Amino acid sequence: MPVILQSHIPFDVTQPRPLPGMMVLDPEDWLWVDDAYGAQMALRRDLMLQRCDDVIACDARALPAVRELLEQVLQFIAKRSDFVVSDTEVVCPDGQRVALDWSDPLLCLGAIVQNDFCILQKEGDEHLLSAAVLCFPASWRLSDKFMRPLTGIHDTVAPYDDSIAKRVQRLFDAIRSDAPMWRFNALYYRDPELFQPDGHHSVQDRSQLANVDYVRSERQTLIRLPKTQAVVFGIHTMVVARESVGELPL
């Protein structure tokens, strides 16, 4: 796959906040278009064509929420000058035309914006992952997490203990449609490839950071859809050369 890098990450990834690390998000700053848009979108559309089962999953009960998400995205990008939105299609900043197919809204979402999206809906005491378009996984497989609750999704995340799990579930319960949130992380990789479900090239041990060539950061957003009340976890992935972020916290 081609090497796709952003020129910079517009926040200090050397100072990540402790989990869950959420901050207030300006609703007008929800979705970004950055300097890697064209290259990332070409890869996204190819992945959805060639590996659809790996990057898209949707439970039938989640379809109304995904359609509502598509409505929200179209309303958001219609305010921008670099998208042209009509009743039947979207003309994207790279010139590509994406036909609006309400029977397959995840495919449309994945072809229009750089964000990956995970739809989480309350079932019992927890929210579970009921739908997603995930073209740029960072060391996890959609098939392993689909239809699992938050605790099951994060069972391989070392810092995600019972205390954090309860705080995150309270956050999912409390988030309001008019008060979105966001956070970011910092991930370290030897390979800049965006589709990395296996994580063979990720570096978890800080003693190995001297060998890191790329820094990967996810700008993660959390919104509630007003009609279906589903929670949407959005992921805008940025990868830059190590030297562009300054001194790593070795």
Side-chain angles (χ1 to χ4, degrees):
M1 292 186 181
V3 174
I4 300 172
L5 302 178
Q6 275 86 355
S7 60
H8 70 291
I9 296 173
F11 39 78
D12 187 359
V13 293
T14 66
Q15 300 295 326
R17 295 162 60 96
L19 288 173
M22 303 302 294
M23 298 170 279
V24 175
L25 172 67
D26 179 353
E28 299 301 314
D29 197 35
W30 175 32
L31 301 174
W32 284 2
V33 173
D34 64 28
D35 58 349
Y37 178 89
Q40 282 199 356
M41 295 310 301
L43 177 56
R44 294 176 67 81
R45 293 166 187 145
D46 184 65
L47 285 167
M48 290 188 295
L49 179 65
Q50 302 295 333
R51 307 190 63 159
C52 185
D53 290 344
D54 294 325
V55 301
I56 289 180
C58 186
D59 182 74
R61 293 169 292 178
L63 195 54
V66 182
R67 287 175 176 150
E68 184 183 4
L69 174 59
L70 180 56
E71 291 173 359
Q72 295 282 309
V73 169
L74 294 176
Q75 291 173 15
F76 185 91
I77 64 174
K79 302 174 186 176
R80 297 180 56 101
S81 61
D82 46 3
F83 288 91
V84 179
V85 180
S86 72
D87 291 339
T88 58
E89 69 173 12
V90 174
V91 182
C92 298
D94 59 355
Q96 293 294 311
R97 295 177 178 270
V98 177
L100 295 178
D101 181 357
W102 294 96
S103 68
D104 199 349
L106 283 172
L107 188 65
C108 294
L109 287 163
I112 293 171
V113 292
Q114 286 171 270
N115 261 40
D116 283 320
F117 294 105
C118 297
I119 307 287
L120 295 111
Q121 296 176 286
K122 190 75 175 284
E123 186 170 292
D125 294 331
E126 287 192 86
H127 282 75
L128 58 80
L129 178 61
S130 57
V133 52
L134 182 75
C135 294
F136 302 154
S139 306
W140 63 283
R141 290 182 177 276
L142 178 55
S143 59
D144 291 341
K145 310 297 184 180
F146 182 55
M147 297 304 291
R148 297 191 69 186
L150 284 170
T151 50
I153 291 170
H154 294 94
D155 59 2
T156 58
V157 180
Y160 200 90
D161 56 19
D162 288 343
S163 174
I164 292 176
K166 291 176 181 177
R167 288 165 59 194
V168 171
Q169 184 56 57
R170 286 197 298 267
L171 174 66
F172 272 65
D173 288 336
I175 191 166
R176 306 194 318 268
S177 58
D178 61 346
M181 307 291 287
W182 80 286
R183 69 180 298 274
F184 69 87
N185 61 14
L187 308 169
Y188 308 103
Y189 281 79
R190 298 188 182 93
D191 187 324
E193 184 175 323
L194 287 159
F195 181 75
Q196 293 221 35
D198 297 316
H200 295 318
H201 303 287
S202 65
V203 173
Q204 306 293 331
D205 186 345
R206 291 196 175 277
S207 66
Q208 300 178 24
L209 290 187
N211 301 319
V212 164
D213 295 312
Y214 301 96
V215 178
R216 176 172 176 147
S217 181
E218 297 174 331
R219 179 183 183 258
Q220 302 171 347
T221 55
L222 204 62
I223 70 167
R224 184 181 295 282
L225 298 173
K227 296 177 185 176
T228 59
Q229 292 294 294
V231 175
V232 180
F233 182 72
I235 309 167
H236 183 111
T237 300
M238 292 162 279
V239 181
V240 297
R242 172 186 173 152
E243 55 267 20
S244 72
V245 300
E247 195 70 25
L248 295 185
L250 301 176

